[in-house]
Amino acid sequence: MSEGDSSGESIHGKPSVIYRFFTRLGQIYQSWLDKSTPYTAVRWVVTLGLSFIYMIRVYLLQGWYIVTYALGIYHLNLFIAFLSPKVDPSLMEDSDDGPSLPTKQNEEFRPFIRRLPEFKFWHSATKGILVAMTCTFFEAFNVPVFWPILVMYFIMLFCITMKRQIKHMVKYRYIPFTHGKRKYKGKEDMGKTFAS
């Protein structure tokens, strides 16, 4: 290999202008992602807004149904990964090495850890919508299909997949949604103070 092929350096040892540009662009993008992390509701509202704009675009153009179907399958795949535990309890039944979800009342509580965390779910879903939106600008992706068949097939696939996921959740007794930290009630404060 010649100098600078793998690290983006030019012949003279300095990083090339293109390499520095894309490195800086990546840093700015990561900075915006880091700043958006605590704003969960705002992030999802923006994603839903993008999704709504995409649906309006597909409706007005009357095409790109195969792209929309692929986007729906991709989002379904992300949602299933979001609902699934990081360590599949069905694989842990036979072996005793590693943590498992509690199945009895007296077992130790282990928090639910997702296979796909919420932030990565949001990020991937948003990128999927933007890629699908970009595809609608190219006629090559406008494959003529009978869209009602795709809708019926997607609904059937969604129902079968969710039924299997819900059965898995019931069988291994886990709930993928929590509403914050548990609050325990202690003794009520009587308002009395001790005088010294």
Side-chain angles (χ1 to χ4, degrees), residues 37-79:
T37 303
Y39 305 106
T40 307
V42 174
R43 285 188 282 118
W44 282 104
V45 165
V46 168
T47 299
L48 289 175
L50 282 173
S51 182
F52 185 67
I53 291 169
Y54 173 76
M55 285 188 270
I56 289 174
R57 179 165 172 76
V58 169
Y59 176 75
L60 292 176
L61 294 175
Q62 295 292 312
W64 287 271
Y65 300 121
I66 201 79
V67 173
T68 305
Y69 177 72
L71 178 65
I73 296 295
Y74 180 64
H75 281 176
L76 179 62
N77 187 24
L78 290 175
F79 186 61

Side-chain angles (χ1 to χ4, degrees), residues 54 57 64 67 128-138 141:
Y54 173 76
R57 179 165 172 76
W64 287 271
V67 173
I129 294 168
L130 292 175
V131 167
M133 183 87 72
T134 304
C135 288
T136 62
F137 289 101
F138 300 99
F141 296 108

